[in-house]
Amino acid sequence: MTAAPIHFRDERLMLDPTGAAFWPAKRVLIVADLSLERLAGVAVSQMSAADPRVALERLLRLVRLYRPAKVILLGVQANTRFLTRRLHQDDKARLEAMAREAPFIWVTAAEHDPNFLPGQFTPVHREGPFTLRHEPAAQLGPREIEIAGFHRPKASIAARARRVSRPCFVADSRRLVLPAFAGAAEGPDVRDQPIARLFPRGLRVFLLGQDQLFSFALEQLGRIAEVA
């Protein structure tokens, strides 16, 4: 797979075709929306039909590929005190094994049981110049650079005489919104108000392909593109 670089001031992030972001300078791996709720059999709106256990296996491969110093996970929607009674022990064991390789930081506003999931829980996490949130802030601070999830953005383009809609990263010079790592495709299009209002000066899309990303400015999305 070929990761795509993106720069925020003096920092470089690598956007992985799986939907994760990696910060090489600090060896930080970032993912959004693992869909643990679906693993526990919880009905959550806008969830994908994709198997979230595939996401766990994909995350394990990334942990072993990038060898991160820490893993930051954006978003657990359900109360983890409820999930702890529902999550399969094999799935919990996978998470615990990964957390032994790299400490986990869960960025979520949900109530949590520290004995349920391995790692630290916080509603907001600051790492170097970055502020990490589950849900993007309505307005950023003067020097703030935000990394968030929540919206599960997607984009559609004309490709080979048909429309293709896929999850994507969305970014400008001060904000990066990650796609759902578990593959949810029910979020808003980047042209829709929930996404567009976060990027009033324009945005760039990194569309997830099979083994690489396809980068477009918003105004290019209506054009024919070669997408694998």
Side-chain angles (χ1 to χ4, degrees):
M1 290 190 179
T2 304
I6 185 171
H7 292 83
F8 294 93
R9 298 194 193 122
D10 297 329
E11 299 296 342
R12 176 174 60 98
L13 299 180
M14 301 302 296
L15 305 183
D16 193 276
T18 61
F22 183 63
W23 184 11
K26 299 294 184 181
R27 295 175 48 230
V28 175
L29 182 66
I30 307 163
V31 302
D33 294 302
L34 274 181
S35 294
L36 294 183
E37 297 83 1
R38 290 193 66 245
L39 284 175
V42 180
V44 179
S45 64
Q46 296 188 338
M47 281 296 175
S48 159
D51 185 349
R53 288 188 174 87
V54 174
L56 286 185
E57 293 301 322
R58 203 161 61 236
L59 180 59
L60 177 59
R61 288 197 295 271
L62 289 181
V63 167
R64 292 178 175 172
L65 172 67
Y66 287 111
R67 298 294 180 185
K70 66 181 69 172
V71 178
I72 300 177
L73 304 105
L74 309 178
V76 175
Q77 292 186 4
N79 185 327
T80 63
R81 294 181 187 278
F82 173 74
L83 288 179
T84 189
R85 300 192 298 270
R86 302 286 296 273
L87 193 69
H88 195 280
Q89 286 301 311
D90 288 348
D91 298 322
K92 185 178 178 183
R94 287 189 185 96
L95 289 167
E96 290 171 342
M98 282 186 271
R100 286 193 291 271
E101 297 191 39
F104 277 18
I105 298 175
W106 302 85
V107 180
T108 174
E111 294 182 25
H112 64 276
D113 180 348
N115 298 314
F116 163 59
L117 291 173
Q120 172 190 345
F121 284 77
T122 179
V124 179
H125 179 72
R126 290 179 174 83
E127 189 85 27
F130 299 110
T131 300
L132 296 102
R133 298 183 174 96
H134 170 43
E135 184 174 357
Q139 187 172 358
L140 298 180
R143 295 282 295 170
E144 197 170 31
I145 303 172
E146 182 184 74
I147 302 174
F150 181 72
H151 284 298
R152 304 186 179 97
K154 65 181 179 182
S156 60
I157 60 171
R160 298 173 183 172
R162 62 190 178 92
R163 298 298 295 181
V164 174
S165 181
R166 291 185 180 169
C168 63
F169 296 92
V170 191
D172 63 10
S173 63
R174 298 189 58 203
R175 175 178 267 147
L176 173 66
V177 177
L178 275 62
F181 191 73
E186 300 298 328
D189 187 274
V190 295
R191 301 177 184 87
D192 295 343
Q193 186 62 18
I195 301 293
R197 66 179 174 79
L198 299 173
F199 301 93
R201 298 183 180 180
L203 57 84
R204 190 156 196 88
V205 169
F206 295 83
L207 198 72
L208 272 59
Q210 186 68 30
D211 296 306
Q212 66 185 98
L213 297 169
F214 299 89
S215 178
F216 306 94
L218 180 61
E219 60 270 16
Q220 295 176 288
L221 289 178
R223 302 176 187 173
I224 296 295
E226 292 296 315
V227 177

